């Protein structure tokens, strides 16, 4: 029952499992993405078909879509299992599958929408146009793109575009990181990333001098584009994605609510745009993205290279900035803010740039008592990375989502009729065969009737309007009206489930040629079906994926727009080499050495694997 003149927007939320997915729906998500039993890029977040089906049933009542991730590269002996999973997902009614491996398009798949994962390295109009030509219905863009680049892609394509707007950032272009695979055999492209980007490294220069020691030089701040939602809408983004399938449920509740309120505020001012799901969420707390896990926020490259994106001093959550230390004792501090509570977790950077933390033991007359205040000085900036009261409030039932309906209760020849019409135009009618006995108190009877009809607690509906069309005021026992109300609600709910329409997939076209003839290991071809896919499209020479060859020496194991030279004020382009560094630069940990190459024309950094 959608209006074709309207463009529909989607707030897309992560789900670790059914419970997390339900929480996302209740707090305002228009769509959910959840891991398949196998082959998702977060291997620790897989779900059974039965668990996913339960989420599909719940979500679809609110017209919330459910997408399932199968976005790893696959080996030959896994292809049939993957095809079988996709068939099962189709059978339970999911709205699309998110994939990385193009070999899946060579299989006999059901008529299900295909979404190209950000793992397919979607950075240019040409790449997105190619994916669109295959019949892929949505492309998840690389996080590194600017608004200008997104607009350029939109100008040359018509496929649906999805963009990450919040959460942890992979330092490498997604799908182009092999560092975890190279150092410990845990491939990010196989859903097993060991997150070496969050480890600490020394940086040495071409003369062997240690430039930086023991810093998290590849660890990024977290993405937060809540200030750019309208710009992204205007650039052509229609799905706004929150990262976090491995985050806590309180993160999901808070961050989804944060973006829901901001998107809704924008939609009130823009014509032609509308959210894609039904119902309204009533939230009992004030959302605040800073009060959930974050390493500090960045807008990344949405406006080009404008800010330092790294978090070199810590890979841990900072939470929300509170203020500065005004006074201190051996076991207490005073901070220039209110609201610190017993059980809160506070943290700060010491003079050595290391992150320290402590739990609040009690608060008396603005004195915050802690175990000890070593490394803490007056003037130190304080953050709260655990908000006890806030977290506790989020662990309760803190949101209800309701679909507005209009009840019309009227008299018919052989009794009475109750009609329920919901906000999407679905309706249900039930009849009550009951004697037309006049009420002794007409006003009281009318009020009692409306009160009984409005009691929809525990259902997905809210009686926004109740019309009574009777020739006289009649007496009805509460049990009769309650039964009638329950019956019409059950019928309306079944109508919504039965009439849910999901999109169909498109046939893959085999004749779309690629301009180049060779595909390196960066193409991530790990099975014969993927090789077949590319050969049909003009590729003559295919280098296998590194996960097959296990050959890492002198290979680029990470390509990133995060630049260590820029982080250190040594960029020759934007900072005119304010800090002098002797090239080449090397990252070193206890076991390995990585050479850094800088492509200043593309504004990219390459991390190259070397033996120590």
């Amino acid at each position: 029952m959608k209006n074709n003149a309207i463009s529909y927007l989607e707030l897309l939320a992560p789900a670790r499992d059914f419970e997390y997915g339900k929480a996302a729906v209740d707090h305002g998500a228009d769509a959910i993405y959840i891991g398949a039993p196998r082959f998702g890029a977060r291997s620790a977040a897989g779900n059974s078909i039965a668990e996913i089906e339960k989420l599909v049933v719940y979500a679809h009542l609110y017209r919330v879509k459910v997408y399932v991730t199968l976005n790893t590269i696959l080996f030959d002996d896994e292809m049939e299992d993957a095809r079988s999973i996709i068939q099962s997902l189709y059978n339970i009614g999911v709205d699309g599958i998110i994939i990385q491996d193009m070999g899946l398009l060579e299989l006999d798949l059901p008529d299900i929408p295909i979404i190209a994962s950000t793992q397919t390295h979607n950075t240019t109009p040409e790449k997105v146009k190619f994916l669109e030509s295959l019949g892929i219905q949505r492309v998840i863009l690389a996080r590194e793109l600017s608004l200008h680049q997104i607009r350029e892609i939109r100008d040359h394509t018509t496929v649906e575009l999805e963009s990450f707007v919040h959460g942890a950032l992979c330092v490498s272009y997604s799908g182009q990181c092999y560092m975890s695979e190279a150092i410990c055999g845990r491939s990010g492209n196989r859903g097993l990333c060991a997150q070496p980007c969050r480890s600490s490294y020394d940086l040495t220069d071409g003369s062997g001098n240690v430039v930086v020691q023991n810093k998290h030089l590849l660890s990024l701040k977290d993405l937060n584009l809540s200030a750019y939602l309208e710009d992204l809408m205007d650039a052509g983004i229609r799905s706004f994605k929150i990262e976090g399938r491995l985050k806590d449920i309180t993160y999901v509740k808070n961050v989804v609510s944060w973006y829901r309120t901001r998107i809704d505020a924008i939609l009130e001012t823009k014509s032609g745009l509308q959210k894609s799901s039904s119902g309204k969420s009533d939230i009992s707390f004030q959302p605040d993205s800073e009060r959930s896990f974050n390493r500090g926020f960045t807008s990344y490259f949405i406006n080009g290279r404008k800010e330092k994106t790294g978090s070199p001093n810590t890979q841990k959550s900072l939470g929300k900035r509170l203020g500065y230390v005004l006074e201190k004792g051996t076991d207490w501090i005073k901070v220039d803010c209110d609201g610190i509570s017993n059980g809160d977790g506070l943290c700060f950077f010491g003079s050595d740039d290391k992150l320290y933390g402590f739990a609040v033991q009690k608060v008396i007359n603005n004195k915050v008592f802690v175990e000890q205040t070593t490394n803490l000085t007056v003037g130190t900036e304080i953050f709260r990375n655990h908000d006890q009261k806030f977290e506790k409030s989020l662990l309760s039932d803190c949101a209800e989502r309701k679909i507005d309906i209009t009840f019309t209760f009227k008299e018919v020849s052989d009794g009475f009729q109750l009609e329920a019409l919901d906000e999407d135009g679905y309706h249900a009618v039930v009849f009550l065969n009951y004697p037309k006995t006049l009420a002794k108190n007409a006003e009281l009877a009318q009020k009692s009737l409306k009160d009984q009809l409005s009691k929809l607690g525990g259902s997905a509906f809210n009686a926004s309007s109740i019309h009574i069309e009777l020739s006289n005021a009649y007496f009805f026992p509460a049990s009769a009206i309650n039964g009638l109300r329950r019956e019409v609600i059950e019928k309306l709910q079944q109508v919504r489930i039965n009439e849910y329409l999901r999109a169909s997939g498109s046939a893959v076209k085999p004749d779309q040629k690629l301009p180049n003839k060779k595909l390196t290991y960066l193409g991530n071809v790990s099975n014969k079906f993927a090789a077949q896919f590319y050969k049909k499209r003009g590729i003559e020479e295919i280098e296998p994926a590194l996960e097959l060859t296990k050959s890492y020496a002198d290979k680029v194991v990470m390509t990133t727009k995060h630049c260590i030279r820029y982080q250190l004020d040594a960029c020759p382009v934007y900072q005119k080499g304010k800090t002098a560094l002797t090239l080449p630069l090397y990252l070193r940990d206890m076991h390995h050495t990585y050479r850094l190459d800088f492509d200043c024309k593309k504004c990219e950094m390459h991390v190259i694997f070397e033996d120590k």
Side-chain angles (χ1 to χ4, degrees), residues 10-14 33 41-42 69 71 98 116-119 122 139-145 150 161-170 174 223-226 228-229 232 237-245 251 259 298-300 302:
E10 179 182 275
L11 174 58
L12 177 56
Y33 65 103
R42 296 288 184 272
T69 61
N71 54 339
I98 302 170
S117 171
T118 189
Q119 299 289 121
N122 309 316
V139 175
I140 307 173
L141 298 179
R143 295 171 174 89
E144 291 80 2
L145 297 184
I150 293 171
L161 298 180
E162 178 182 309
S163 173
F164 281 91
V165 294
H166 195 93
L169 286 162
C170 292
S174 293
L223 184 67
N224 187 330
L225 296 182
S226 57
Y228 296 93
L229 295 173
L232 288 165
I237 298 300
R238 290 297 175 261
S239 181
F240 302 86
K241 187 171 195 171
I242 298 168
E243 179 276 339
R245 282 192 289 137
Y251 170 95
Y259 279 88
T298 175
S299 60
Y300 213 31
I302 199 70

Side-chain angles (χ1 to χ4, degrees), residues 94-139:
V94 303
D95 296 281
I97 56 169
I98 302 170
I99 71 164
Q100 174 185 8
D101 198 315
M102 293 294 110
L104 290 171
L105 300 183
E106 292 293 300
L107 304 182
D108 181 20
L109 299 181
D111 186 19
I112 190 169
I114 305 292
I115 300 169
S117 171
T118 189
Q119 299 289 121
T120 55
H121 194 45
N122 309 316
T123 59
T124 65
E126 292 76 19
K127 177 61 177 290
V128 176
K129 195 168 186 176
F130 170 72
L131 293 169
E132 181 179 10
S133 74
L134 299 173
I136 285 172
Q137 296 192 350
R138 175 182 293 183
V139 175

Side-chain angles (χ1 to χ4, degrees), residues 264-543:
D264 287 349
I266 295 169
L267 292 181
E268 287 180 3
T269 68
K270 297 179 80 71
S271 60
L273 293 177
Q274 183 177 314
K275 71 175 185 178
S276 60
S277 64
S278 306
K280 183 177 180 180
S281 297
D282 181 17
I283 300 164
S284 63
F285 64 96
Q286 185 64 44
D288 184 348
S289 61
E290 291 184 279
R291 294 171 84 172
S292 287
F293 184 102
N294 72 86
R295 302 174 178 90
F297 287 126
T298 175
S299 60
Y300 213 31
F301 298 101
I302 199 70
N303 289 314
R305 191 174 289 282
K306 301 288 186 182
E307 60 178 293
K308 294 180 180 180
T309 56
S311 177
N313 293 328
T314 184
Q315 81 284 33
K316 297 178 181 179
S317 175
L318 294 178
K320 187 178 181 72
R321 179 193 173 278
L322 295 183
Y324 294 95
V325 175
L326 300 177
E327 300 178 50
K328 62 164 283 190
T330 56
D331 63 347
W332 62 268
I333 59 173
K334 282 189 177 181
V335 183
D336 61 342
C337 69
D338 297 319
I340 298 175
S341 302
N342 297 355
D344 283 354
L346 305 184
C347 60
F348 64 93
F349 288 104
S351 58
D352 55 2
D353 289 334
K354 291 183 179 179
L355 186 69
Y356 296 90
F358 46 77
V360 175
Q361 296 176 332
K362 58 184 176 181
V363 180
I364 302 175
N365 298 328
N366 292 325
K367 278 188 176 181
V368 179
F369 286 86
V370 298
E371 187 174 343
Q372 50 83 24
T373 58
T374 307
N375 299 311
L376 189 62
T377 60
V378 171
T380 297
E381 192 172 24
I382 296 290
F383 300 84
R384 178 166 51 197
N385 56 9
H386 177 75
D387 190 328
Q388 178 81 350
K389 287 184 177 178
F390 188 65
E391 289 289 315
K392 187 176 180 180
S393 71
L394 290 174
L395 288 173
S396 63
D397 291 332
C398 49
E400 269 192 327
R401 184 165 181 167
K402 299 288 186 179
I403 301 164
D404 279 344
I405 60 173
T406 296
F407 276 140
T408 302
F409 184 82
K410 62 184 177 181
E411 189 175 348
V412 292
S413 60
D414 55 348
F416 303 91
Q417 171 184 300
L418 178 61
E419 178 182 14
L421 177 67
D422 71 24
E423 61 186 60
D424 297 314
Y426 297 103
H427 77 284
V429 178
V430 294
F431 297 92
L432 176 64
N433 186 1
Y434 195 80
K436 296 181 180 180
T437 305
L438 292 177
K440 294 179 180 179
N441 185 325
E443 185 177 344
L444 184 61
Q446 181 98 339
K447 181 180 183 304
S448 177
L449 181 56
K450 282 194 172 185
D451 286 346
Q452 295 303 321
L453 289 176
S454 65
K455 292 180 179 178
L456 293 173
S459 77
F461 301 98
N462 168 62
S464 59
S465 181
I466 299 175
H467 302 293
I468 307 296
E469 300 175 4
L470 301 175
S471 60
N472 292 288
Y474 298 109
F475 166 76
F476 302 99
S479 59
I481 299 303
N482 290 340
L484 193 67
R485 184 196 65 236
R486 284 193 295 268
E487 185 181 354
V488 78
I489 288 301
E490 289 172 2
K491 192 171 182 179
L492 178 62
Q493 184 165 310
Q494 196 59 50
V495 167
R496 290 185 66 85
I497 292 170
N498 292 344
E499 296 194 19
Y500 182 86
L501 294 176
R502 62 176 175 177
S504 59
S506 301
V508 176
K509 302 171 185 176
D511 56 349
Q512 305 302 313
K513 301 298 182 183
L514 289 164
N516 50 319
K517 299 295 182 184
K518 181 178 178 180
L519 201 61
T520 70
Y521 67 92
L522 298 173
N524 298 320
V525 176
S526 58
N527 59 74
K528 63 184 179 183
F529 296 95
Q532 180 177 296
F533 170 89
Y534 285 110
K535 286 176 181 178
K536 285 182 179 179
R537 287 155 183 86
I539 302 296
E540 297 173 358
E541 185 179 345
I542 299 174
E543 186 178 356

Side-chain angles (χ1 to χ4, degrees), residues 542-577:
I542 299 174
E543 186 178 356
L546 285 186
E547 288 81 359
L548 292 178
T549 66
K550 305 293 183 182
S551 174
Y552 316 116
D554 295 320
K555 290 285 200 311
V556 174
V557 293
M558 181 185 291
T559 301
T560 173
K561 283 193 74 68
H562 168 66
C563 181
I564 288 177
R565 289 171 80 184
Y566 187 90
Q567 191 76 27
L568 298 176
D569 295 320
C571 172
V573 178
Y574 290 94
Q575 299 156 329
K576 305 303 180 186

Side-chain angles (χ1 to χ4, degrees), residues 149-161 235-236:
Q149 290 172 308
I150 293 171
R151 290 190 196 101
E152 188 177 12
I153 289 171
R154 178 71 299 157
D155 288 343
H156 291 85
T157 63
T158 60
V159 69
E160 288 182 8
L161 298 180

